[in-house]
Structure formats: structure tokens, C-alpha cells
């Protein structure tokens, strides 16, 4: 169990969260339906549970400090069940009966995969262990300059990691910034089954913000996941019709779950830095209520000061990365952060849901509305 609360990153301590929120005990109210939100399930959750009962359930993505592991990490893929929002509030449950989840070493499988973090100038030895796998895989790392055979594309390098095999990629950390990694074998299917994650290279002398978080955006057509689970579904990538929208693998209101979701938890006066990555195939304009921010980095490149400006929405294209920075200087409260394609902020026909999370001031955690949001999110204390 993590000792930090909130989205992957710095967060606040569990002790501080309990002290600020007063939610140390069990709420025993999880599963309430939000006012105005019809109680309807996305997909076929009952059949999904039956089809995937023998699979492990994914965990939230962990931040893996590769430097602390001597520059080495092993990734493998595990079939798993993924609960984007397991509760029945706000159009839930939202479930993907089968995903192919990455895990690092002996960690838990997660969607997105583990956040691999290293430092500029270091090399990573990333071993793709497919000895227990069921299908071929590869790993492709964006941005960094690597040797040809380490590019992760089987058709152009001749390197494919078949079931029963493993392969080690040497990945130089020579481009500071926030990047994407993913399987590049049958890419259109394997990314949509969950084989993606964030690769972060901290520049030399990096100074973190007071609060720093990672967010991976993704839309899903659950027909593929149901088809791969052996259910009665037919999927055509040429006729992709997303029905599930997630931040760090979760759909609202489960995005607000302090342990499994990705609330951005701040204190008045904090400097806040959020690294956003789009692992999907659609553009996602991300908006934060009541705050203005600057986009400081784009696709691993630093934006000069003279080119920056204050804004409250920025689009993150497929495979794109954006780092935003702002000061938590608003009236302490709870503010939405969401994709402004409003149909992406839904679970089925229920609104709100989907690609929505919250910017939560620690000072607002003791309020009744925060406790109500925790009920919707399924947090039981």
C-alpha cells in the first residue's frame, strides 16, 4: 500500500490525508448514485465478471526509480481485469474484462504501465520478459536516441520477443522530458489492450515542484477488450467507437479515489507541475477550472519563456506530451480537471464521468461535499 495519496507523483502523506479529511474510518456509503446521474452500466459488466473471474485485477501505476535499481528494470505483460470505475455511481460500473498489463519486476500489473523514471545521462537496461507470455511483444521508447536494433519495431529491426523469450533493450536517457513507451507489435491492438506507459527523464540538476503528478490519457473501445475476453463482441479497428475514457486508467468518479485514482491534491501556495501523456488515438483538450497555467514542455522539448502564456486549456494529441505548471492560488476548494470534449466526460450516457478528475485543496478536505465525492468514488477509508 502506497504511503502517498493522489495521482502518481509527490502527493501528500496518508497521515496528512486522514487528518485533513477526517476519513480514517469506513464510510460504508460507497456505491451511492450521484444526484441527476442515471444508474446504468457501461457495457456488460455481469458477463465481464464471469469471463474474467480468474484474472488478477490491475493496480494503479507505480513510479519506478530506475536509477535506484542500478539502471535495470524488467517488464512483462500480464492478462488482467481492469476496473475503470467499479462502483455503480455516475453510470458505473465501467469495466474492461481483459487488458494486457505491464508490470515491473515483481510489482503489480497496471494500466497504464509503471512510470519509468531516470536521470539525464544514465542508460537504462530494460528487459522485456516474455517467457510466460502468450503472444509476441516489443517495447518502443519515444524521443530518446538509441541504436537501431533497440527501436522496438519488429518489421524494421528484425527483433521480436516471442512467447518463451526475453530481450534487453539499451535505452539512453539522452533527451530530458516526459515520454511514452508502448508495445509496437500489432500496435493498433496492443496499445488498445493496455500496453503503454510513461518514460520520464529528469534533466541534470532537476528541481521538482512542491507538487508533481503524472497523468496518462486514454480512450477505449471496450468491444476489443470484451472480444479478447471471449465475450460476444466484434471489434474492427477501422470502425473504432470509444465508449470508455480514462485518466491513469480510471473513469470518474473513481478518478477521485485517493488511493486508486488520480486527484491532484495541493495546498494553498504550492507550485504544481503535471506531466500529461496521451496514449490514445484521439486529441484531448485538458482544462482546469479556476486556474491559469503555462505549458512549459512539449514532447520532451522545453518551451522558451518568451513563447509561454497563461491558459486554462491545452490539447494533447495522440502520443503527445505536455508539462504544465501553475501556482495553487485559487480560493481553496475542489475544482474539475477534464477533457473539454464533453462526450469524453461521460460514462455511457451518464454525465459526469469518464476523463474527469479533480484539483483538491487540502484545506477543502474536511467539507461535506468532499465526503460526498469520496462516496461517489467508492472510497471506504
Amino acid at each position: 500500500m502506497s504511503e502517498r495519496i493522489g495521482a502518481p507523483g509527490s502527493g501528500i502523506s496518508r497521515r496528512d490525508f486522514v487528518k485533513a479529511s477526517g476519513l480514517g474510518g469506513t464510510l460504508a456509503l460507497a456505491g451511492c448514485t450521484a444526484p441527476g446521474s442515471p444508474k446504468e452500466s457501461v457495457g456488460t459488466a455481469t458477463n465481464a465478471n464471469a469471463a474474467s473471474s480468474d484474472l488478477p485485477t490491475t493496480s494503479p501505476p507505480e513510479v519506478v526509480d530506475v536509477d535506484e535499481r542500478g539502471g535495470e528494470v524488467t517488464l512483462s505483460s500480464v492478462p488482467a481485469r481492469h476496473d475503470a470505475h467499479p462502483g455503480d455511481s455516475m453510470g458505473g460500473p465501467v469495466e474492461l474484462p481483459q487488458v494486457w498489463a505491464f508490470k515491473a519486476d515483481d510489482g503489480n500489473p497496471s494500466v497504464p504501465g509503471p512510470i519509468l523514471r531516470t536521470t539525464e545521462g544514465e542508460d537504462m537496461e530494460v528487459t522485456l520478459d516474455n517467457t510466460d507470455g502468450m503472444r509476441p511483444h516489443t517495447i518502443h521508447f519515444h524521443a530518446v536516441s538509441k541504436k537501431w536494433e533497440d527501436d522496438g519495431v519488429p518489421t524494421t529491426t528484425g527483433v521480436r520477443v516471442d512467447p518463451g523469450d526475453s530481450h534487453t533493450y539499451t535505452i539512453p536517457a539522452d533527451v530530458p522530458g516526459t515520454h511514452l513507451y508502448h508495445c509496437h507489435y500489432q500496435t493498433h491492438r496492443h496499445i488498445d489492450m493496455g500496453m503503454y506507459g510513461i518514460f520520464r527523464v529528469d534533466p541534470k540538476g532537476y528541481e521538482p515542484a512542491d507538487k508533481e503528478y503524472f497523468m496518462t490519457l486514454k480512450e477505449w473501445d471496450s468491444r476489443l477488450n470484451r472480444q479478447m475476453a471471449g465475450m460476444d463482441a466484434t471489434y474492427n479497428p477501422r470502425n473504432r467507437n470509444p465508449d470508455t475514457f480514462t485518466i491513469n486508467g480510471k473513469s470518474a468518479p473513481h478518478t477521485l479515489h485517493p488511493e486508486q485514482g488520480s486527484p491532484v491534491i495541493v495546498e494553498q501556495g504550492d507550485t504544481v507541475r503535471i506531466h500529461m501523456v496521451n496514449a490514445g488515438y484521439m486529441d484531448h483538450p485538458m482544462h482546469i477550472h479556476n486556474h491559469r497555467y503555462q505549458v512549459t514542455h512539449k514532447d520532451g522539448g522545453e518551451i522558451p519563456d518568451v513563447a509561454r502564456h497563461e491558459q486554462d486549456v491545452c490539447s494533447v494529441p495522440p502520443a503527445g506530451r505536455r508539462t504544465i505548471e501553475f501556482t495553487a492560488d485559487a480560493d481553496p476548494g475542489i475544482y474539475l480537471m477534464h477533457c473539454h470534449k464533453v462526450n469524453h466526460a461521460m460514462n455511457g450516457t451518464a454525465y459526469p464521468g469518464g476523463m474527469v478528475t479533480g484539483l483538491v485543496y487540502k484545506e477543502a478536505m474536511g467539507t461535506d461535499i468532499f465526503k460526498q465525492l469520496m462516496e461517489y468514488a467508492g472510497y471506504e477509508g
Side-chain angles (χ1 to χ4, degrees):
M1 178 181 290
S2 172
E3 289 305 314
R4 310 305 292 181
I5 292 292
S10 51
I12 66 172
S13 70
R14 184 176 301 277
R15 180 186 298 272
D16 284 348
F17 174 80
V18 171
K19 183 178 179 180
S21 67
L23 298 177
T26 301
L27 285 172
L29 292 171
C32 296
T33 301
S37 297
K39 185 177 178 180
E40 54 186 311
S41 173
V42 175
T44 52
T46 302
N47 290 338
N49 284 334
S52 59
S53 59
D54 294 333
L55 297 177
T57 301
T58 56
S59 296
E62 63 173 326
V63 180
V64 174
D65 189 324
V66 182
D67 296 347
E68 291 183 352
R69 302 188 184 205
E72 299 179 354
V73 63
T74 296
L75 294 179
S76 55
S77 175
V78 180
R81 185 181 74 253
H82 185 67
D83 297 330
H85 170 42
D88 61 2
S89 61
M90 298 185 185
V94 183
E95 301 174 350
L96 301 176
Q98 187 172 144
V99 293
W100 302 337
F102 276 122
K103 72 171 187 175
D105 298 315
D106 295 327
N108 295 323
S110 66
V111 172
I115 299 164
L116 304 182
R117 192 166 196 171
T118 186
T119 307
E120 180 184 10
E122 301 294 332
D123 284 354
M124 292 198 313
E125 300 290 331
V126 182
T127 298
L128 175 56
D129 182 1
N130 204 23
T131 53
D132 296 325
M134 301 173 60
R135 53 190 61 84
H137 296 304
T138 67
I139 307 178
H140 170 62
F141 288 84
H142 282 224
V144 294
S145 301
K146 48 200 172 292
K147 291 184 178 180
W148 171 27
E149 60 266 30
D150 288 325
D151 193 43
V153 183
T155 51
T156 56
T157 65
V159 178
R160 188 182 75 185
V161 188
D162 290 322
D165 294 338
S166 64
H167 178 77
T168 299
Y169 299 88
T170 299
I171 306 299
D174 53 9
V175 178
T178 301
H179 310 303
L180 173 70
Y181 72 86
H182 60 84
C183 181
H184 217 296
Y185 178 80
Q186 294 292 300
T187 317
H188 66 295
R189 181 179 297 119
H190 288 220
I191 289 180
D192 258 357
M193 286 299 292
M195 297 190 70
Y196 62 87
I198 288 178
F199 169 42
R200 169 69 189 176
V201 179
D202 289 334
K204 293 179 180 178
Y206 182 63
E207 295 183 4
D210 294 327
K211 296 293 191 302
E212 184 169 8
Y213 295 105
F214 293 92
M215 288 191 174
T216 309
L217 315 174
K218 181 76 169 70
E219 80 285 337
W220 309 75
D221 184 331
S222 66
R223 292 178 300 175
L224 173 63
N225 307 90
R226 288 183 279 130
Q227 183 183 61
M228 289 299 174
M231 299 172 64
D232 184 16
T234 301
Y235 172 74
N236 182 346
R238 291 291 187 185
N239 186 30
R240 191 171 180 266
N241 185 26
D243 58 359
T244 303
F245 300 88
T246 61
I247 297 176
N248 286 337
K250 303 300 181 182
S251 299
H254 209 58
T255 50
L256 291 167
H257 193 291
E259 295 170 331
Q260 299 175 24
S262 296
V264 174
I265 300 175
V266 301
E267 298 178 63
Q268 182 78 11
D270 275 346
T271 58
V272 184
R273 185 176 298 150
I274 303 176
H275 307 285
M276 297 187 292
V277 174
N278 184 353
Y281 308 159
M282 305 174 74
D283 182 270
H284 297 296
M286 297 302 294
H287 170 54
I288 301 180
H289 287 207
N290 215 38
H291 293 77
R292 302 278 285 172
Y293 56 77
Q294 291 187 352
V295 180
T296 62
H297 294 75
K298 176 181 176 181
D299 301 338
E302 184 174 4
I303 298 175
D305 288 345
V306 295
R308 301 179 190 178
H309 60 90
E310 300 292 325
Q311 56 194 100
D312 56 39
V313 62
C314 75
S315 287
V316 189
R321 291 90 69 196
R322 300 290 185 270
T323 294
I324 64 173
E325 294 186 11
F326 61 95
T327 300
D329 56 3
D331 180 39
I334 304 166
Y335 300 99
L336 291 185
M337 179 176 181
H338 63 94
C339 178
H340 220 292
K341 292 182 177 177
V342 181
N343 61 333
H344 294 185
M346 301 176 69
N347 294 329
T349 59
Y351 176 89
M355 200 174 285
V356 177
T357 188
L359 175 67
V360 180
Y361 279 75
K362 182 180 175 182
E363 294 88 341
M365 285 182 174
T367 62
D368 289 340
I369 188 63
F370 182 74
K371 291 180 173 61
Q372 186 179 57
L373 288 171
M374 293 299 96
E375 293 172 16
Y376 299 153
Y379 180 67
E380 297 182 354

